[in-house]
Amino acid sequence: MFSNKMNYHDYLHIDQLLGCQELESERIGRKAHDEMLFIVVHQVYELWFKLILTEVSSVLEIFAQDRIDEKQMDLIVARLQRVVAIQKLLVDQVGIIETMTPLDFLEFRDMLIPASGFQSLQFRQLETVLGLKRENRLLYGQAAYEQSLKPDQRSEMVALEGKATLFERVEKWLERTPFLKMRGFDFWQAYKNTVENALKRDIEIIDQNPVLGAEDRARNKTMLEGTMASFRALFDEKEYNQARSAGEWRLSYQAVHAALLVQLYRDQPALQLPFRVITALQDMDEMFTTWRHRHALMAKRMLGSKVGTGGSSGYQYLRDATDRHKVFQDFFQLTTFFVPRSKLPKLPPEVERELGFHYSNSGNA
Amino acid sequence: MFSNKMNYHDYLHIDQLLGCQELESERIGRKAHDEMLFIVVHQVYELWFKLILTEVSSVLEIFAQDRIDEKQMDLIVARLQRVVAIQKLLVDQVGIIETMTPLDFLEFRDMLIPASGFQSLQFRQLETVLGLKRENRLLYGQAAYEQSLKPDQRSEMVALEGKATLFERVEKWLERTPFLKMRGFDFWQAYKNTVENALKRDIEIIDQNPVLGAEDRARNKTMLEGTMASFRALFDEKEYNQARSAGEWRLSYQAVHAALLVQLYRDQPALQLPFRVITALQDMDEMFTTWRHRHALMAKRMLGSKVGTGGSSGYQYLRDATDRHKVFQDFFQLTTFFVPRSKLPKLPPEVERELGFHYSNSGNA
Amino acid sequence: MFSNKMNYHDYLHIDQLLGCQELESERIGRKAHDEMLFIVVHQVYELWFKLILTEVSSVLEIFAQDRIDEKQMDLIVARLQRVVAIQKLLVDQVGIIETMTPLDFLEFRDMLIPASGFQSLQFRQLETVLGLKRENRLLYGQAAYEQSLKPDQRSEMVALEGKATLFERVEKWLERTPFLKMRGFDFWQAYKNTVENALKRDIEIIDQNPVLGAEDRARNKTMLEGTMASFRALFDEKEYNQARSAGEWRLSYQAVHAALLVQLYRDQPALQLPFRVITALQDMDEMFTTWRHRHALMAKRMLGSKVGTGGSSGYQYLRDATDRHKVFQDFFQLTTFFVPRSKLPKLPPEVERELGFHYSNSGNA
Amino acid sequence: MFSNKMNYHDYLHIDQLLGCQELESERIGRKAHDEMLFIVVHQVYELWFKLILTEVSSVLEIFAQDRIDEKQMDLIVARLQRVVAIQKLLVDQVGIIETMTPLDFLEFRDMLIPASGFQSLQFRQLETVLGLKRENRLLYGQAAYEQSLKPDQRSEMVALEGKATLFERVEKWLERTPFLKMRGFDFWQAYKNTVENALKRDIEIIDQNPVLGAEDRARNKTMLEGTMASFRALFDEKEYNQARSAGEWRLSYQAVHAALLVQLYRDQPALQLPFRVITALQDMDEMFTTWRHRHALMAKRMLGSKVGTGGSSGYQYLRDATDRHKVFQDFFQLTTFFVPRSKLPKLPPEVERELGFHYSNSGNA
């Protein structure tokens, strides 16, 4: 029926696992106590990265279908939320490294040169799988980022770059949304008017705010006028694609509309889970940003303006990557165009019906 | 358009809020530094309790409808998850109290007698709103629990006890589930066979486990035979109601079946959110348990076996309440009867159809 | 100077590390997605256990000296606090397991039988190194706990049980405290009077507490009279050793006095770090208790009253071990005998001088 | 003996406290459910701010003494660590706000205009008490920052700016350190040589790092040469004061030397607690930075590039303040000049003696 020999120790490969901590400082006869902390912390990161990659890849597979089985929507949300739960641990874990004082780190730091966290293959893969494009990567030195990897890993990364990313799959999924034009209901025209009024009000706010000086008022108005322009671009495909090639947007014209619709009408039964998907993607993006920021602070504290063991300023790199390596920026940007639910164009009954359930005696729920 | 006079300070009643910290030790001229910590921590708890009560009450209102609008399912989940997020803070907050050493607490402890955390009206209300019954409450001294409250608060509590609780509303909602007997599909008979086989296997497991001694083996088998008996009771209304009046179950016969169905077939579109609701209720119950446990440890650490300021052993009370005051125990107990998804009776297509969406071109959503 | 070939990937043995995750469900051709989560979570636990063992062992070594170099006091505190920081992660990590639903766990649970977390050698070692005695261990089945380990691991454990534990080292260190009787100052007589008055007041408190019923009043008084008796025992070596062999205390007569002194006069420069040491030991004990409790809740949720994969009720075992496996109970118990600082017997100047620094121009530092 | 009328409810001013939540949306008849969350979260922040102010002020008082009683060193550390523990909650609390979706926030956002978090008096006070100087504050609009406060609060702030800050007190305390020149031991000359060699090695590292391109190599070398220059400035009072007036340093020449000494020789008994003080100040600074960063992300997510209710981009302000409003930057910067403990100049025995305890039979510890 089942193998009686199964035991915790062998099942988890404990011997192999606990054989991976080899202190360089011990090897060369100048043992530094805190190197064990340093090694374990990084290995734990790699184990979590492997799990995150497993979860993200499984979500990617679901999205790869031409048509997602509704039964899997909850699964997508659950797995993305699991990734976010793990990321929270990754952030807190930085606090463990900080129980090591700079002076204790210096005891073995030189021995690790030129090894560096930049060389984590799994983290590179994760960034790529999520949708970070080679051209958007911060340069590591002058060479392409993969130069920091081992030869065989480079080809692996290049191959991976050829595959569809989570960003692209989500984009395609959004584009397929059938609710954008439904039964001839012209949502967009109505919505456009609504938003323009909202933005006009924001300008009034600025004009009426007593504490603002002329300069600040001007700055804000310029900002808002930019917002209105970019909003108009949202509904002019040609303009949008210009803004998009200028890097202001990344999602396709269709996808960005769908993302807006899902978030604005998220209480419709058929949109409740798609809304959770978008929220989970934002959470994931935000947690990576938070992790990079905590990491940058830690590097600064550990080394001041010393160079990292990789021969480059870890602090600078991590700080710059904090925003630069975000993938789902558009979702955050979209909130600029939200209006209060009370002001949303009302959906016609026949559209609402399309978005609900129809089981006999819908008593439950 | 809007009041220009609106400002942060008045809007949040800061003066009033920051006027609530009156150190008793200062009043009587023996100022103890840490009393400010003590007061602020408890006031923050009361603010969070108020928010939790607001969220739980709003959920209760939604459940109060004879038929819940599907559009509000996501709202129920979101608000319950918000409560859980707040509870995590409540648990961590115990760590703040522990930055006060027992010796520093003793500086003002005597001055607070006989005041006590037992006297928090909001927490009592919260327990009652969730569904804790008077008869299940741990006695505080000999008197009924409300004796620790102020006279006017007692009547308020008694009135509250007359109202429908979250437990009861959830129970009614579950009883209304239309999926228990659908299109003559006899789920239960099929399921019963499946579970009995699973339990039989558990007994084999015990028999075959080499490390177990005869006594332990016997203990486990007795436990499992009890499980099988209680499982059979699940499908015999008369037996179930006996077990229920014996306190082994709290949910009604109908409700417990619905809860099982929802959890077993949670991937069906119409059951995905109901499943999230049940999960959130479990999370909430578990977090209160965790909070009570951390609280008990802290009390022990602060006072050893001294009596609490209320004149009773805080540690003992909190420890005993940890399990005793749980409300949604049944949901945890139900997992005993789960079987692997792969072994679940398959739903007939016509039932599956009932549980899905039917919008034109169901591309994805 | 340094090996130019050093790189992150080889230094951390990434290939070996990421080769340790072998899904049993995949091996037998019924892949269960969540088994990866299950494996990674347990392996991360083992890595942290290894780090905790490293830190605790290093502290044990410092304590092993006949006379501890004052320069290492801060190191002891720092490393114990590091362990506590790691334990916080261990507790939060339980939340990751809970992202797996019971139904998903059942997909592969049977395949792991009879493997079990009880078989973690490192956790057993940790318990023993801290000071958990074989006779105080909760029985696992009928057999001695090490029966759950592999043959070669059993001898390892037995050998370890022969070595000095952290508890014993700390006890010896406390016994060596030179401040118990200093320059003929009879601290204890003075303190005894103080405490007895304090306990008398606690009895008054109970008598005067309006909300207490006769029965509760009686119960509390009995408890307090027991406290007074045990307090008197604190200062009668013969009585104390009786109470000690009855299991009411674990520390030696000398050590318990020293622990009290350190906590009561912790602001004396020479006692500030010893106080931090005792506090850190309490934190560590409390965090293990918290981890066991969260773990028990999770087991209950995952399996209801099903038996664990080891063939025993994980919930029951973890719940009972929560208190039973504590090591530094005495420190928590001691707070029973604290009195407000304002009431502490004042130290004579010559004793205070002994406890301070004497560098020329003691401006501050 | 004690007031029998004391009870939890009155002691904590619960009625007054729970009377502070007045929903503007309810007042004008368009109740928005999430406004309660919004109010409670901000009020909890204000309560914690009050506690932090209490703790920081008490530490400030201790530092205000011409000569700090060694007995209070542990107290300083304990209270600063308490502030850090609270700050961790403040950061996690941002997650509670994020349980409110942008759409729900918009339901009442307009009603709050022009109220804004910028108007929190306590947070301003906190920044000032810690040592943030008016001239280093980010401008809020064009007007001086206090324009966002109420008239009477402005004078309060200006008065506060006249008082000694924590930064200044810590600086004076460091300047008083008697260990800088002790018994004619010329620490600095020896240390200077050591560090210059260390920095030279860093340059070699760059030259030998294979992955670095010429440009990156140049950039890093320039950075390091700057480091060496600024290091030399550390030991040339005239140069240092130039760098200081250029804003590269904030601490006085004496203080920065003392801070270095304390961190490098932190294991000396007399320096163990001063080291903890400096570490706690860094933790506090870092946690405020982390809080601002999380806050900025949340603002971005909630509003996109909409203006905040205060009429200015909350995201922009918070982002820029993240680094700009740091107070104890110098401590982080100092690590640049650390060398491995093994390479530190050895202290002569007579100096070591000065830094230790001398109680008869120093067995304990």
Side-chain angles (χ1 to χ4, degrees), chain A residues 201-202 204-206 208-210, chain B residues 1-8, chain D residues 24 108-116 119 307-311:
Chain A
R201 182 189 303 94
D202 279 339
E204 288 164 28
I205 290 168
I206 291 166
Q208 295 174 37
N209 185 334
Chain B
M1 191 8 247
F2 54 75
S3 130
N4 248 316
K5 285 190 285 16
M6 175 66 76
N7 73 74
Y8 179 91
Chain D
E24 179 66 10
F108 58 96
R109 170 194 173 241
D110 283 1
M111 309 169 185
L112 309 187
I113 289 157
S116 150
Q119 298 167 345
V307 288
T309 47

Side-chain angles (χ1 to χ4, degrees), chain C residues 1-2 4 67-68 70-71 73-74 78 173 176-179 201 208 210 267-270 272-274 276 352 354-365, chain D residues 1-2 4 67-68 70-71 73-74 78 173 176-179 201 208 210 267-270 272-274 276 352 354-365:
Chain C
M1 201 352 258
F2 53 76
N4 246 316
R67 183 186 157 156
I68 299 178
E70 296 277 351
K71 284 201 222 156
M73 288 307 293
D74 188 56
W173 165 68
R176 291 196 305 263
T177 310
F179 309 117
R201 184 193 299 93
Q208 294 172 38
D267 51 354
Q268 299 298 328
Q272 289 177 353
L273 281 156
R276 289 276 154 230
E352 285 231 355
E354 287 274 316
L355 298 171
F357 289 108
H358 314 112
Y359 44 78
S360 33
N361 156 27
S362 161
N364 61 334
Chain D
M1 196 5 251
F2 54 75
N4 247 316
R67 181 187 157 153
I68 298 179
E70 296 279 350
K71 284 201 224 156
M73 289 307 293
D74 187 56
W173 166 67
R176 290 196 306 265
T177 308
F179 311 115
R201 182 189 307 93
Q208 296 172 36
D267 51 355
Q268 298 297 328
Q272 289 176 353
L273 281 156
R276 289 277 154 225
E352 283 232 357
E354 286 275 318
L355 297 171
F357 289 108
H358 315 111
Y359 44 79
S360 31
N361 157 27
S362 157
N364 100 311

Side-chain angles (χ1 to χ4, degrees), chain A residues 221-363:
Chain A
K221 283 172 90 162
T222 318
M223 191 176 70
L224 270 176
E225 267 132 29
T227 305
M228 286 183 80
S230 62
F231 173 68
R232 282 188 205 95
L234 266 190
F235 300 110
D236 175 326
E237 187 152 11
K238 201 158 139 301
E239 266 195 58
Y240 179 85
N241 288 330
Q242 281 166 4
R244 193 185 175 199
S245 36
E248 293 168 34
W249 294 97
R250 187 169 170 191
L251 285 167
S252 71
Y253 187 66
Q254 276 289 312
V256 88
H257 286 192
L260 242 177
L261 180 82
V262 167
Q263 292 188 75
L264 295 173
Y265 293 93
R266 66 159 200 252
D267 50 355
Q268 298 298 327
L271 300 181
Q272 290 176 352
L273 281 155
F275 170 71
R276 289 277 154 228
V277 170
I278 290 177
T279 303
L281 290 168
Q282 285 180 296
D283 290 337
M284 196 169 63
D285 229 22
E286 187 169 301
M287 287 309 294
F288 274 124
T289 307
T290 304
W291 181 74
R292 287 191 180 97
H293 181 260
R294 282 284 282 121
H295 221 290
L297 285 177
M298 181 272 291
K300 173 77 176 176
R301 179 172 189 159
M302 213 54 89
L303 292 170
S305 32
K306 279 204 187 75
V307 288
T309 48
S312 161
S313 166
Y315 174 65
Q316 212 49 49
Y317 179 90
L318 287 160
R319 257 219 85 184
D320 299 347
T322 298
D323 290 335
R324 179 85 174 268
H325 284 191
K326 267 191 200 165
V327 169
F328 296 98
Q329 286 274 31
D330 290 0
F331 292 144
F332 293 88
Q333 190 53 27
L334 266 180
T335 58
T336 314
F337 309 112
F338 284 11
V339 293
R341 196 180 282 104
S342 52
K343 297 192 177 47
L344 279 179
K346 182 133 184 41
L347 296 178
E350 63 274 19
V351 173
E352 285 231 356
R353 222 188 117 52
E354 286 274 319
L355 298 170
F357 288 108
H358 314 110
Y359 44 79
S360 32
N361 155 27
S362 157

Side-chain angles (χ1 to χ4, degrees), chain A residues 1-2 4 66-75 77-78 81 172-174 176-179 182-183 201 204-205 208-210 266-276 346 352 354-365, chain B residues 1-2 4 66-78 81 173 176-179 182-183 201 204-205 208-210 262 266-276 346 352 354-365:
Chain A
M1 180 28 235
F2 54 76
N4 249 315
D66 296 342
R67 180 188 158 152
I68 298 179
D69 180 350
E70 295 279 351
K71 284 202 224 155
Q72 297 184 294
M73 288 307 293
D74 187 55
L75 203 59
V77 174
Q81 287 178 341
K172 287 274 156 294
W173 166 67
L174 285 168
R176 290 197 306 265
T177 310
F179 311 116
M182 197 170 249
R183 295 163 177 268
R201 182 189 303 94
E204 288 164 28
I205 290 168
Q208 295 174 37
N209 185 334
R266 66 159 200 252
D267 50 355
Q268 298 298 327
L271 300 181
Q272 290 176 352
L273 281 155
F275 170 71
R276 289 277 154 228
K346 182 133 184 41
E352 285 231 356
E354 286 274 319
L355 298 170
F357 288 108
H358 314 110
Y359 44 79
S360 32
N361 155 27
S362 157
N364 100 311
Chain B
M1 191 8 247
F2 54 75
N4 248 316
D66 296 342
R67 182 186 158 154
I68 299 179
D69 180 350
E70 296 278 351
K71 284 202 223 156
Q72 298 184 292
M73 288 307 293
D74 187 55
L75 203 60
I76 294 173
V77 173
Q81 287 178 340
W173 166 67
R176 290 196 305 262
T177 310
F179 309 117
M182 197 170 249
R183 297 166 175 266
R201 185 191 301 91
E204 287 163 29
I205 290 167
Q208 295 172 37
N209 186 336
V262 167
R266 65 159 201 252
D267 51 355
Q268 298 298 327
L271 299 181
Q272 290 176 352
L273 282 155
F275 170 71
R276 288 277 155 229
K346 186 138 181 36
E352 284 231 356
E354 286 274 317
L355 298 170
F357 289 107
H358 314 113
Y359 44 78
S360 33
N361 156 25
S362 160
N364 62 334

Side-chain angles (χ1 to χ4, degrees), chain C residues 257-288:
Chain C
H257 286 191
L260 243 176
L261 180 83
V262 167
Q263 292 189 75
L264 295 173
Y265 294 95
R266 66 159 200 254
D267 51 354
Q268 299 298 328
L271 299 181
Q272 289 177 353
L273 281 156
F275 170 71
R276 289 276 154 230
V277 170
I278 290 176
T279 303
L281 290 168
Q282 285 181 294
D283 290 337
M284 195 169 65
D285 229 23
E286 187 169 302
M287 287 308 294
F288 274 124

Side-chain angles (χ1 to χ4, degrees), chain D residues 77-134:
Chain D
V77 174
R79 291 185 181 171
L80 289 176
Q81 286 178 341
R82 170 178 293 173
V83 171
V84 174
I86 296 167
Q87 290 175 301
K88 291 210 176 88
L89 278 189
L90 299 187
V91 173
D92 294 340
Q93 198 171 315
V94 177
I96 304 293
I97 309 180
E98 291 183 332
T99 64
M100 174 172 70
T101 65
L103 214 53
D104 295 312
F105 178 43
L106 288 182
E107 287 301 307
F108 58 96
R109 170 194 173 241
D110 283 1
M111 309 169 185
L112 309 187
I113 289 157
S116 150
F118 298 116
Q119 298 167 345
S120 167
L121 175 64
Q122 287 198 118
F123 193 71
R124 294 282 177 230
Q125 291 174 320
L126 188 52
E127 289 177 319
T128 295
V129 167
L130 289 177
L132 179 62
K133 285 183 134 46
R134 160 179 295 264

